Amino acid sequence: MNGLKALATVAFLSLTAAAPAKAQTPLTEGIQIGLSTDAVSITAGFSGADLTIFGSLENPDPLVARQGRYDVIVVLEGPPKPVVVRRKDRVLGVWVNLDSETFENVPVSYSVATTRPLQDITEPNGYKQLSLGASNLYMQPADAGDSPATIEEFTAALRERKAAAGLYSENVGGVQFLSQNLFRATVRLAPNVSVGTHKARAFLFKSGLFVKESSAQLEIRKSGFEQSIFRVAHDYSFLYGVFAISLAMVTGWLGRLVFRKD
């Protein structure tokens, strides 16, 4: 009798302990990133650099991780600025600017690092919905009344120009998992990278499906003598202009004295 009572007690306790477990919902995967530095100082001789971004997955599924079905795409996006794209044509043997298109809020730089080629991670429509990748960035024309064909032509030219200047780049394999939940990404800073606040974004995919995004900020600024000139030019633009014109006049006058013919 006591044995049956003990068995019933154990069964009751087992059911009681199992009930909360069934009520618990599975934890959702997440992603977090951290920059190796939150500020980069550049000088006139800056020739570009690689920026390392570390990150981790939150609540990853061990089986999915072992099977390599987690993918991460990391983007370093520069501050948005208006850009004018001009088209040159030959007129009477001379190249002249005939047409132009102005785009608003265009990232000055866009560096991408991925675990695998983009076509192997998810479908093209997924990138379009996330506006992820240089080819999927929406370039907003200042004049929405222009024909779609014209806007498309100038948009393609803008992307090509950015890529040719090294400002829009892609590093396939630039994201590497160090363990099941830790990863490291390497993105490229172009030699002509713009100063200002840049945004790092990390996108987590699971078996081709987008899961979550995380972001952090990076400040790029000039240093040394270049920083002093940059600050004066922005804080005292009128005086800087007067000084620049005066310096040009004095330089020209001295040049005439040195190279004049007696």
Side-chain angles (χ1 to χ4, degrees), residues 24 33 37 40 46-47 75 92 101 115 131 144 147-148 152 154 157 174 179 202 222 225 227 238:
Q24 290 178 354
I33 58 173
T37 177
V40 174
F46 181 71
S47 58
V75 174
L92 300 177
E101 186 75 40
T115 48
S131 191
S147 68
E152 184 178 354
F154 280 94
S179 65
K222 295 183 180 293
F225 180 72
Q227 170 64 13
F238 177 76

Side-chain angles (χ1 to χ4, degrees), residues 33 35 37-39 76 197-201 215-219:
I33 58 173
L35 305 181
T37 177
D38 58 0
L76 183 64
T197 302
H198 294 239
K199 187 176 183 180
R201 304 168 68 192
S215 63
Q217 289 188 343
L218 172 71
E219 191 72 24

Side-chain angles (χ1 to χ4, degrees), residues 190-217:
N192 52 343
V193 66
S194 177
V195 298
T197 302
H198 294 239
K199 187 176 183 180
R201 304 168 68 192
F203 299 82
L204 174 63
F205 292 84
K206 176 184 178 181
S207 300
L209 299 177
F210 171 69
V211 178
K212 214 157 193 180
E213 174 189 351
S214 179
S215 63
Q217 289 188 343

